[in-house]
Amino acid sequence: MFAGQSDAFPKPEDVTITEPVELSGEDGTTLRLIFIFMHSNELGGPPVEILHQLNAKELVSLAQAAQKYLLPNLVAFYRLNRARVKEMPIEAFAYATKNELSHLAGIAAPYVVAESLKPPPINGNATVQHSVGEVLRKAEIPQAMLLAWFEFRDHYLRLAEAILVVPKPHVNSKDRVHNCGAWDPYTDSILAGLPRTTFALARVVAHRGIADTLDGRWSSLESRELLGDCQLCKKRVDAWEEAVGKALGAMRTFKGLLPQHVLRLGARNSDRGYWIVS
């Protein structure tokens, strides 16, 4: 059975020793899962529902064992849906980047950004941002992917700054600051439900997604009506939209930030038959 599903195991006729061979590095749970999945694959495919019952540590162990024993149909994270990756983004990202699985890393990357921007624990000495960075470094993620992720996170921070730093009001020739009374209600309408600090807003955008967080905010007719006929406020809105649009235009997917040699590795691994349930 093993030889028929993986080149890592010899065929029975090729075995010349009779002593048991220890499978080192895996605990009993992982080995039991490997046997279950290899057996069920002969019966028509592994039961995906089992994967949804495993915790993050068990999934990582199973996925790593699948890589080790050359079992492409058993790469656990590629049988997870997006919701499970959201539950364990750091583990999924570390596994994906160490194995050059750029598609899976791209799914996990925004959720890792959100994790890194969580507020520090009460009375904690280290920020969560620092902790996540250290976890990724200790996970021995390839340098190119780690640098790409830090740049990816910076894009969310720059977008959050563009959203929160509104253009200054018009000042006339007599040094009077324009205040028609329309601007504050307008900005409250645009930013309704959003945090008003950079880290907190970047975290929300990374976790929810850009479209789900921002779509329709500046194009809302209801919000525009709050400006009335004030052309100075409308020019201010145009400048604000331009700044946000520029930040959005500069953003890239995680995969889009990876060097070409890493993308070629990822494409090669994707061709092995790994797939994801989305």
Side-chain angles (χ1 to χ4, degrees):
M1 179 178 71
F2 294 164
Q5 297 189 36
S6 170
D7 292 336
F9 295 96
K11 296 178 180 179
E13 59 269 23
D14 296 332
V15 178
T16 58
I17 59 175
T18 58
E19 293 82 6
V21 177
E22 181 180 354
L23 298 178
S24 60
E26 290 77 36
D27 58 26
T29 299
T30 302
L31 292 175
R32 180 174 60 83
L33 288 168
I34 287 177
F35 295 149
I36 289 174
F37 278 93
M38 291 182 73
H39 179 67
S40 61
N41 194 50
E42 287 195 337
L43 303 178
V48 177
E49 61 271 12
I50 293 179
L51 292 171
H52 291 272
Q53 298 172 9
L54 303 180
N55 60 38
K57 183 179 179 180
E58 291 169 337
L59 276 167
V60 171
S61 297
L62 180 59
Q64 290 174 339
Q67 292 284 110
K68 176 181 176 181
Y69 296 116
L70 307 179
L71 300 168
N73 289 328
L74 242 173
V75 177
F77 276 120
Y78 266 71
R79 295 185 179 276
L80 292 180
N81 58 26
R82 188 179 295 264
R84 288 304 307 274
V85 173
K86 189 188 298 186
E87 292 173 10
M88 53 187 77
I90 297 174
E91 294 87 352
F93 184 76
Y95 169 76
T97 50
K98 288 171 70 175
N99 291 284
E100 288 97 19
L101 303 173
S102 57
H103 178 69
L104 178 59
I107 294 174
Y111 301 123
V112 180
V113 170
E115 286 293 313
S116 75
L117 297 175
K118 280 184 177 179
I122 299 175
N123 299 325
N125 294 323
T127 64
V128 177
Q129 178 183 356
H130 174 76
S131 299
V132 171
E134 286 302 306
V135 169
L136 295 180
R137 288 188 181 93
K138 290 179 180 178
E140 299 180 351
I141 290 173
Q143 186 74 1
M145 290 214 174
L146 187 60
L147 292 175
W149 178 80
F150 277 108
E151 184 178 355
F152 182 71
R153 185 189 63 181
D154 285 345
H155 286 182
Y156 281 94
L157 293 171
R158 288 194 287 269
L159 174 60
E161 288 177 354
I163 294 169
L164 295 176
V165 179
V166 299
K168 294 181 179 180
H170 175 75
V171 179
N172 65 17
S173 58
K174 297 181 180 180
D175 289 333
R176 291 180 179 175
V177 178
H178 173 74
N179 185 8
C180 65
W183 186 254
D184 286 345
Y186 174 77
T187 55
D188 287 342
S189 173
I190 294 298
L191 300 176
L194 297 180
R196 301 299 177 94
T197 62
T198 301
F199 273 33
L201 178 56
R203 178 174 179 261
V204 167
V205 175
H207 192 266
R208 291 184 189 170
I210 294 172
D212 288 346
T213 308
L214 301 180
D215 274 6
R217 287 186 179 270
W218 279 269
S219 61
S220 167
L221 293 177
E222 184 178 346
S223 296
R224 281 279 182 171
E225 289 175 354
L226 295 172
L227 300 174
D229 296 325
C230 182
Q231 296 303 312
L232 292 176
C233 283
K234 289 180 179 179
K235 287 183 179 179
R236 197 176 175 189
V237 170
D238 291 341
W240 193 11
E241 285 189 75
E242 183 179 354
V244 174
K246 185 177 180 180
L248 283 170
M251 295 192 74
R252 297 291 182 270
T253 62
F254 177 74
K255 186 176 180 179
L257 294 172
L258 295 176
Q260 286 301 312
H261 74 278
V262 175
L263 289 176
R264 285 195 292 271
L265 283 172
R268 191 185 310 160
N269 284 340
S270 295
D271 289 340
R272 294 179 186 172
Y274 304 151
W275 52 276
I276 190 162
V277 180
S278 59

